[in-house]
Amino acid sequence: MGRLVAGYGAATAADAIRARSLPPEFIEQETTGRDRPRGELTARLNAWHARLAASNPAADIENGERAGARLIVPGDAEWPTQLDQLGPSRPLGLWLRGAVDLRFSCLKSVALVGARSATAYGMHTAAEFGVGLGESGWTVVSGGAFGVDSAAHRGALTAGAPTVVVLACGVDICYPSSHDILFAKIRDQGVIVSECPPGTHPTRARFLIRNRLIAALSRGTVVVEAALRSGALNTATHALTLNRHLAAVPGPITSRLSDGCHRLLRERKAVCVTSPEEVIDLVGVMGDDLVSHPRTPAVARDRLNDVTKRVLDAVPTRKGAGPASIAVAAGVDLSVALSALGGLAAAGYIERSAGGWRLRKQATSYRKAPDSAALEPPHIDIDADPSQDPPFPDEDDLVRREHNLPAPDEVPQSSARPARQTNPNNTQLHQGTL
Amino acid sequence: MGRLVAGYGAATAADAIRARSLPPEFIEQETTGRDRPRGELTARLNAWHARLAASNPAADIENGERAGARLIVPGDAEWPTQLDQLGPSRPLGLWLRGAVDLRFSCLKSVALVGARSATAYGMHTAAEFGVGLGESGWTVVSGGAFGVDSAAHRGALTAGAPTVVVLACGVDICYPSSHDILFAKIRDQGVIVSECPPGTHPTRARFLIRNRLIAALSRGTVVVEAALRSGALNTATHALTLNRHLAAVPGPITSRLSDGCHRLLRERKAVCVTSPEEVIDLVGVMGDDLVSHPRTPAVARDRLNDVTKRVLDAVPTRKGAGPASIAVAAGVDLSVALSALGGLAAAGYIERSAGGWRLRKQATSYRKAPDSAALEPPHIDIDADPSQDPPFPDEDDLVRREHNLPAPDEVPQSSARPARQTNPNNTQLHQGTL
């Protein structure tokens, strides 16, 4: 049907079906060209004929107008041209009901899809993503169903952003019926879309057909939560077929409702996203919508250079040690160790004791001691490239506790020991609220 | 040092360091060949010299023997040759303490690594993976730390499988000390490994150096739970560098302790794994260790062919309809509709009413009615290729509820309506325990 209308126009196609007589070139193209038995085409024609005879376009238009809906067709100003990519399965027309312009709203749009029987985690995630995308100027497209769909729409509405619902029934029908208030809100702030004429009820097949529109309207599809057998995965397949972006939100492996997402990730069909920013990074315009990569938490130690860190690690906790044995433990030359020890002492990391150098129990953290500026490391060790794994492991914490190392200045204040006696810069003023 | 020992043997290397006189070809190769300032090499030599002078190999051997440890070097029968891939950073020797053979245990081994401050979810996952891998004949390699490490070891022990701990301290030292019982159990059933001589205490640097051994001993590394700044990510980097498999377990995006895993997935460095079987599928021998792909749940409807399903969807629930209007609604030829309706009636899906065909309220499910064998579809619609997305979405359930469609026979018995009156095959016998 799509090819018939594309080749001969809707009016000619309707006439041909009414007359049960397809254009000969079309028959040639469909049978010989596609190696399709002629009987199959005849059976299709009969089915189209019966359906056309049963239809009542004038009543559809009248019902649509009564419901406040408008009908758009390809070529109209409001027609979203990204649907052209559907080829012969592009819808012949769309019924719209709502305040905003469909084409304009979908210029920057993302589909958020997922399970109806979503968990609290899935609902939370969908709502957070809806808010985040909405606040960043992105339109959320979804199916208006229970669960993930509704949470995503509500999130977008909360952000004051337009949102698009694609229904599997007429735009005058509220399915599920308990979403009447949600749909009314969406009509005010977004738009409700369907390719079914007003009065059409949802069927299983229409949900599946509808899913291609959700994928085709948006720049990318995010599967928020889906079981292995889920309509959301059908939408995901459409997104892949259309070469649109596909992302999935991971969840606990103990939740069957994340199994579908994990399968998409495992098969590397979808990109793992954990925040709306990462979604925008994926679907956005290169350079315009880049997400800032999450920085690993920084600790004062990071600003020391490699050799100085090795020397610091070799300084004992309680009983002091001489520079020579520290140099051996650190595996560095004695002159290097002496220089590093001087710097570490100036920065307040270590102190002299009767037995030699030892860690200072309640040392000022590096950043808070302006007099240690001379220790400014020649080489900043913190990763400039955030795609690299962090050079320092969480062994840090354990070793620090074991060895009574100074806590980094980024740790929560509650776990930092106040350093009234030994702090030369009165930094306890900053901790006065403890 | 690795290159020196590899080129000249350990004894010659020790002599050269003791004499502070490196072989001229080695100096040439390290300075000119690697474009490295000669002063740097001299500083290194001085550091090695000082360390060698401070060492006491005879005491190390004696202490090791007292602790029941054995020392292996490359070429020994128990030496795991996969360590050779480390090149110059291959350990010069390994101290072992435990009942099992290291080389044999690590032939089929997987590293399970993760956060010390693991969540209950991470601990549960690590233990489950440890049990699952152990039961399948795989050895779990980890670092013996709090959190994920210990849960993984305990899981493997529970499965009666050997497990390998790689320590950052001497094998005679119990760090963390509260793991004394765990380590004793591992010595009985597995082996404790360290490249540090007995008596060596853990330092930050030794943890990082240790991590390369965990990655190099195993066929693949699984990051169970890790924050963005985590030692587990350091092990993951080693696994990637060595071209070993890398996998990550997803978790809730609301948990900071899954951020590291999600970053590995997002950057497509790691494969998403949700079960021990998927881990084995990744690291196992091709063909030997294939995991069976999770099947999507099957429902009776799946066995109907496409056209029959479309006709079934077009049959109304309460008020009956004639074959012609059903054919129009289904979009099929009348003769096709008639044939499908006959089959559906025989299978108990639909029944005749005064108004025509309608859905049978409490139809027997397809599989349980042997008399419907004639309806055996010519084309099984269930996906033969499980990598394909399922053809039917979870709209199924909703539509079924809406239309009172028969429940599939795979749904939990508790939600299936008993069908005493209409069931022709006494299948309620199977439900007798309800």
Side-chain angles (χ1 to χ4, degrees):
Chain A
M1 174 78 87
R3 283 191 293 271
L4 184 65
V5 173
Y8 302 88
T12 312
D15 288 343
I17 291 168
R18 204 170 286 117
R20 282 207 215 212
S21 152
L22 294 171
E25 318 88 71
F26 181 75
I27 295 173
E28 170 70 16
Q29 167 201 320
E30 289 293 313
T31 51
T32 320
R34 298 184 176 265
D35 201 17
R36 197 174 175 186
R38 192 165 169 145
E40 195 190 312
L41 193 62
T42 313
R44 268 304 161 86
L45 179 61
N46 290 341
W48 292 340
H49 177 83
R51 189 171 267 193
L52 183 60
S55 72
N56 188 347
D60 288 345
I61 299 276
E62 200 187 310
N63 290 337
E65 276 175 3
R66 204 179 303 129
R70 57 196 186 271
L71 175 66
I72 60 168
V73 293
D76 282 350
E78 199 176 349
W79 185 261
T81 47
Q82 61 265 44
L83 294 181
D84 298 352
Q85 213 194 321
L86 287 167
S89 64
R90 181 181 72 173
L92 301 174
L94 287 176
W95 296 87
L96 309 182
R97 201 174 164 206
V100 307
D101 181 284
L102 178 65
R103 182 180 189 173
F104 186 76
S105 307
C106 288
L107 285 180
K108 281 174 77 172
S109 63
V110 175
L112 294 182
V113 298
R116 286 157 201 269
S117 53
T119 65
Y121 170 70
M123 297 294 278
H124 168 81
T125 305
E128 287 288 315
F129 277 45
V131 170
L133 290 167
E135 283 181 343
S136 305
W138 287 79
T139 299
V140 171
V141 179
S142 195
F146 285 128
V148 165
D149 287 15
S150 66
H153 290 305
R154 287 200 174 95
L157 291 174
T158 305
T163 185
V164 174
V165 184
V166 187
L167 291 180
C169 54
V171 292
D172 58 334
I173 290 184
C174 186
Y175 181 87
S177 52
S178 59
H179 279 175
D180 50 352
I181 295 169
L182 175 66
F183 286 3
K185 191 103 196 272
I186 292 173
R187 286 195 298 271
D188 284 347
Q189 202 173 313
V191 61
I192 292 178
V193 180
S194 175
E195 60 179 321
C196 308
T200 312
H201 284 271
T203 66
R204 200 189 310 254
R206 287 192 189 115
F207 281 114
L208 289 172
I209 293 168
R210 180 271 315 260
N211 289 342
R212 84 189 194 289
L213 295 183
I214 293 179
L217 279 173
S218 356
R219 284 217 211 153
T221 294
V222 180
V223 183
V224 175
E225 200 174 43
L228 282 181
R229 192 183 171 110
S230 164
L233 296 186
N234 174 263
T235 313
T237 305
H238 283 299
L240 286 177
T241 309
L242 294 167
N243 279 318
R244 305 288 171 88
H245 296 287
L246 179 62
V249 179
I253 59 169
T254 45
S255 163
R256 292 291 69 78
L257 276 159
S258 286
D259 282 352
C261 296
H262 293 155
R263 194 169 68 176
L264 290 175
L265 293 175
R266 184 165 153 70
E267 296 174 351
R268 307 212 173 192
K269 288 181 180 166
V271 174
C272 179
V273 289
T274 63
S275 67
E277 290 74 27
E278 289 181 353
V279 174
I280 295 169
D281 185 53
L282 183 69
V283 300
V285 175
M286 212 175 278
D288 272 10
D289 299 301
L290 283 178
V291 68
S292 59
H293 276 273
R295 297 293 307 226
T296 57
V299 296
R301 228 185 86 95
D302 295 349
R303 306 190 74 199
L304 303 179
N305 69 21
D306 265 347
V307 168
T308 310
K309 258 183 270 181
R310 278 165 70 188
V311 172
L312 177 59
D313 285 343
V315 175
T317 316
R318 279 169 289 265
K319 218 170 64 179
S325 73
I326 289 173
V328 167
V332 300
D333 208 19
L334 180 61
S335 62
V336 172
L338 282 171
S339 149
L341 288 168
L344 287 167
Y349 278 97
I350 60 173
E351 61 187 7
R352 266 183 214 280
S353 73
W357 291 106
R358 70 176 180 197
L359 293 176
R360 195 161 157 180
K361 283 250 166 76
Q362 302 181 341
T364 331
S365 70
Y366 180 72
R367 292 238 185 111
K368 286 181 179 163
D371 61 340
S372 66
L375 233 198
E376 192 69 32
H379 162 67
I380 303 282
D381 253 305
I382 215 173
D383 261 357
D385 176 6
S387 70
Q388 292 285 319
D389 287 323
F392 318 112
D394 61 3
E395 268 89 334
D396 280 23
D397 282 322
L398 220 78
V399 175
R400 192 185 309 117
R401 224 179 302 144
E402 187 79 4
H403 295 280
N404 264 335
L405 285 175
D409 56 1
E410 275 81 358
V411 300
Q413 298 265 329
S414 55
S415 71
R417 281 156 300 198
R420 294 191 185 269
Q421 275 73 40
T422 57
N423 191 322
N425 298 300
N426 268 324
T427 56
Q428 71 267 36
L429 286 179
H430 300 291
Q431 302 177 348
T433 52
L434 274 179
Chain B
M1 174 79 87
R3 283 191 293 271
L4 183 64
V5 173
Y8 303 87
T12 312
D15 287 344
I17 291 168
R18 202 170 287 117
R20 283 206 214 211
S21 153
L22 294 171
E25 317 88 71
F26 181 74
I27 296 174
E28 169 71 16
Q29 168 200 319
E30 290 292 312
T31 51
T32 319
R34 297 183 178 268
D35 201 17
R36 199 175 173 186
R38 194 165 168 148
E40 194 189 315
L41 193 60
T42 312
R44 269 302 160 88
L45 178 61
N46 290 341
W48 292 339
H49 178 83
R51 189 172 266 193
L52 183 59
S55 72
N56 188 347
D60 289 344
I61 299 279
E62 200 189 307
N63 290 337
E65 276 174 3
R66 203 179 305 128
R70 56 195 187 273
L71 175 66
I72 60 168
V73 293
D76 282 351
E78 198 175 349
W79 186 261
T81 47
Q82 62 265 43
L83 294 182
D84 297 354
Q85 214 194 320
L86 286 167
S89 64
R90 182 180 73 171
L92 300 174
L94 287 176
W95 296 86
L96 309 181
R97 201 176 163 203
V100 308
D101 182 283
L102 178 66
R103 183 181 187 170
F104 186 76
S105 308
C106 288
L107 285 179
K108 281 174 75 173
S109 63
V110 175
L112 294 182
V113 298
R116 286 155 201 270
S117 54
T119 66
Y121 169 70
M123 296 295 278
H124 168 82
T125 305
E128 289 286 316
F129 277 45
V131 171
L133 290 167
E135 284 181 342
S136 306
W138 287 79
T139 299
V140 171
V141 179
S142 196
F146 285 128
V148 164
D149 287 15
S150 66
H153 290 305
R154 287 198 174 96
L157 292 174
T158 306
T163 184
V164 174
V165 184
V166 187
L167 291 181
C169 54
V171 292
D172 57 335
I173 289 184
C174 187
Y175 181 87
S177 52
S178 59
H179 279 174
D180 50 352
I181 296 170
L182 174 66
F183 286 3
K185 192 103 195 274
I186 292 174
R187 285 195 298 272
D188 285 348
Q189 200 174 314
V191 61
I192 292 178
V193 181
S194 175
E195 62 180 319
C196 306
T200 312
H201 284 271
T203 66
R204 199 191 310 255
R206 288 193 186 114
F207 283 113
L208 289 171
I209 293 168
R210 181 273 312 264
N211 289 342
R212 85 189 193 289
L213 294 183
I214 294 179
L217 279 173
S218 358
R219 285 219 212 149
T221 294
V222 180
V223 183
V224 175
E225 200 174 45
L228 282 181
R229 191 185 172 111
S230 163
L233 297 186
N234 173 262
T235 313
T237 304
H238 283 299
L240 287 178
T241 309
L242 294 166
N243 278 318
R244 304 288 169 88
H245 296 287
L246 180 61
V249 178
I253 61 170
T254 45
S255 164
R256 290 292 70 78
L257 276 159
S258 286
D259 281 352
C261 296
H262 293 154
R263 195 169 66 176
L264 288 175
L265 293 175
R266 184 165 154 71
E267 295 173 352
R268 308 215 173 190
K269 288 180 180 168
V271 175
C272 178
V273 290
T274 63
S275 68
E277 290 74 27
E278 289 180 354
V279 174
I280 296 170
D281 186 53
L282 183 70
V283 300
V285 176
M286 212 176 277
D288 272 10
D289 300 300
L290 282 179
V291 68
S292 59
H293 276 272
R295 296 293 306 226
T296 56
V299 297
R301 227 185 87 95
D302 293 348
R303 308 190 72 199
L304 304 179
N305 68 23
D306 264 349
V307 168
T308 311
K309 258 182 274 181
R310 279 167 68 187
V311 172
L312 177 59
D313 285 344
V315 176
T317 315
R318 279 168 289 263
K319 217 169 65 179
S325 72
I326 290 173
V328 167
V332 299
D333 209 19
L334 181 59
S335 61
V336 172
L338 282 171
S339 149
L341 287 168
L344 287 166
Y349 278 97
I350 59 172
E351 61 186 8
R352 265 183 213 281
S353 73
W357 292 106
R358 69 176 178 197
L359 292 177
R360 195 160 156 183
K361 281 253 165 76
Q362 301 181 341
T364 331
S365 71
Y366 179 73
R367 290 239 186 112
K368 286 181 180 162
D371 61 341
S372 66
L375 233 199
E376 191 69 33
H379 162 68
I380 302 281
D381 253 306
I382 214 172
D383 262 358
D385 175 6
S387 70
Q388 292 286 318
D389 286 323
F392 317 113
D394 61 1
E395 269 88 331
D396 279 23
D397 282 323
L398 220 81
V399 175
R400 194 186 307 118
R401 224 180 303 146
E402 187 80 7
H403 295 280
N404 263 337
L405 285 176
D409 56 0
E410 275 81 356
V411 299
Q413 299 263 327
S414 57
S415 72
R417 280 155 298 196
R420 292 185 187 273
Q421 275 72 40
T422 56
N423 191 323
N425 298 301
N426 267 325
T427 55
Q428 72 266 37
L429 286 180
H430 300 290
Q431 303 178 347
T433 51
L434 273 180

